[in-house]
Amino acid sequence: MLLGAIEAGGTKFVCAVADENLQLLERISLPTTTPTETLAAVFAFFEPHQLDALAIGSFGPIDVNEVSPTYGSILATPKIAWQQF
């Protein structure tokens, strides 16, 4: 079993892969730039791994209302490029 984790912060994204015993297998730190650039690097990091689960912690606020049309979006963040993303 492989587990993925993303800590999406205002200045950097930390991505990691661990096994079922939570032993860290791989980890990177990427600068938080634009959504397109940052997520391309995140996807490239995780692509070679067949994850069973992925946890995400992110700057926000994030819309967590499952019936909202903007569910999962970052709302009114000071990071202009990430607003409503």
Side-chain angles (χ1 to χ4, degrees):
M1 177 187 297
L2 289 181
L3 308 170
I6 300 171
E7 188 277 313
T11 59
K12 69 181 180 296
F13 271 51
V14 178
C15 302
V17 175
D19 66 17
E20 65 274 4
N21 297 314
L22 302 181
Q23 294 300 307
L24 190 62
L25 304 174
E26 191 173 353
R27 177 187 181 274
I28 61 165
S29 180
L30 309 161
T32 302
T33 60
T34 67
T36 302
E37 290 174 351
T38 305
L39 292 182
V42 169
F43 293 149
F45 171 75
F46 285 112
E47 186 174 15
H49 305 286
Q50 292 185 340
L51 299 178
D52 294 289
L54 177 66
I56 303 171
S58 180
F59 62 90
I62 296 175
D63 185 354
V64 295
N65 180 351
E66 292 181 5
V67 298
S68 171
T70 58
Y71 173 67
S73 296
I74 296 171
L75 301 174
T77 180
K79 296 194 69 62
I80 302 298
W82 290 84
Q83 288 182 1
Q84 307 305 315
F85 184 80

